[in-house]
Structure formats: structure tokens, C-alpha cells
Amino acid sequence: MKLPTVDELAEQGLTYTKRRAIALYSPTRSSLLTGRNHYLNGMAAITDTADRFPGASGRFPPKVTTIAEVLRANGYSTFWIGKIHNAPKQDVASGASHTERPLNLRFDRFCGFLGGKTNQWYPDLVEDNHFIEQPYGPNDGYRPS
């Protein structure tokens, strides 16, 4: 597979070759987003089980820098598409805190769902920080709009 932009970024910067899998979505995603250990990110486990302990709060510490922030500082636009599952369960509701959502993590745009799971036929879609209706139903098929 040819990935010229990724290859160029790797040639001009750091490459991480000693990556270790964590075998859980939230901790792995937090490490990929920040380049930091998942405990330092407050993601010791899946965020549905977050508690008040520092390594397992389900919330990024205030001074964490995400890859989106680094890319934006270098002239790139960032768009998170798909599942987040990096916010505590209580932050998934419409009126909940937005601190762990992509726009607060310095992404320019977001389209996807917040929790670890959603109905695949009638998903709880979010665009940027607002819940939206899906553009068409499952009987219309999956096609670009």
C-alpha cells in the first residue's frame, strides 16, 4: 500500500517502532492519540469502568498533547471519523461534559458515535458536538450522500 504523506512524515520526524498493544480499545486509542502510556493518560481500562483514581479516571490530564494538536500546529486539518470510546460513560449523553470529545482534543471536525457501542442500523450519531439524525435509514442502503 502506498502512503506518500505518511512516508514523508516518517522521513522528517519520529517513528515509533516499539509499540505495544494494550488489548483494550480505550487505552490503546489514548496511547495512539498522545504517544503516552495509557496510565499517564488516565485510561487504565475501558472508559465505561472509569473511576476517580488518577490512572483510571477516563479523562486525559489537562496538559496532554494529542496528535491532532501537533498536526494542526503544522498546517494540517484533522477529522475524527467513527467511534470515540475515550470518554467516561456519564459523558456520552447530549447534555454531558464535552471535555473528552474530539473537538476538545483539538480535532477540527468529528462525525461518529461517542460510546463503545451503538445500534449499527440506527446509530447515535454525533457531528462535531451535536447529536444528529442519520441521513438515511438502513432500508435505503449504505451509500455516500
Side-chain angles (χ1 to χ4, degrees), residues 11-141:
E11 288 171 10
Q12 296 177 13
L14 296 173
T15 55
Y16 297 94
T17 58
K18 295 185 180 181
R19 171 86 181 95
R20 290 182 174 68
I22 301 159
L24 295 171
Y25 302 126
S26 306
T28 299
R29 193 174 292 108
S30 80
S31 293
L32 291 171
L33 284 169
T34 64
R36 295 166 39 124
N37 178 287
H38 57 291
Y39 286 101
L40 295 175
N41 288 336
M43 305 286 174
I46 293 174
T47 54
D48 295 351
T49 63
D51 55 32
R52 294 186 179 155
F53 293 104
S57 66
R59 299 182 189 285
F60 287 107
K63 294 182 180 178
V64 165
T65 301
T66 65
I67 190 168
E69 196 169 352
V70 173
L71 289 171
R72 284 177 72 186
N74 287 281
Y76 290 87
S77 296
T78 57
F79 195 165
W80 184 328
I81 300 172
K83 172 172 84 169
I84 293 179
H85 205 198
N86 271 87
K89 198 176 200 177
Q90 64 269 24
D91 288 3
V92 173
S94 182
S97 168
H98 292 184
T99 60
E100 306 308 312
R101 294 188 184 180
L103 298 189
N104 247 29
L105 297 175
R106 311 299 187 274
F107 283 84
D108 293 313
R109 301 293 312 273
F110 167 70
C111 187
F113 56 98
L114 301 173
K117 58 187 176 238
T118 190
N119 183 313
Q120 297 299 303
W121 298 107
Y122 301 97
D124 296 321
L125 291 177
V126 176
E127 182 178 300
D128 296 329
N129 275 331
H130 308 285
F131 282 85
I132 61 169
E133 295 294 322
Q134 69 187 72
Y136 46 85
N139 292 335
D140 300 323

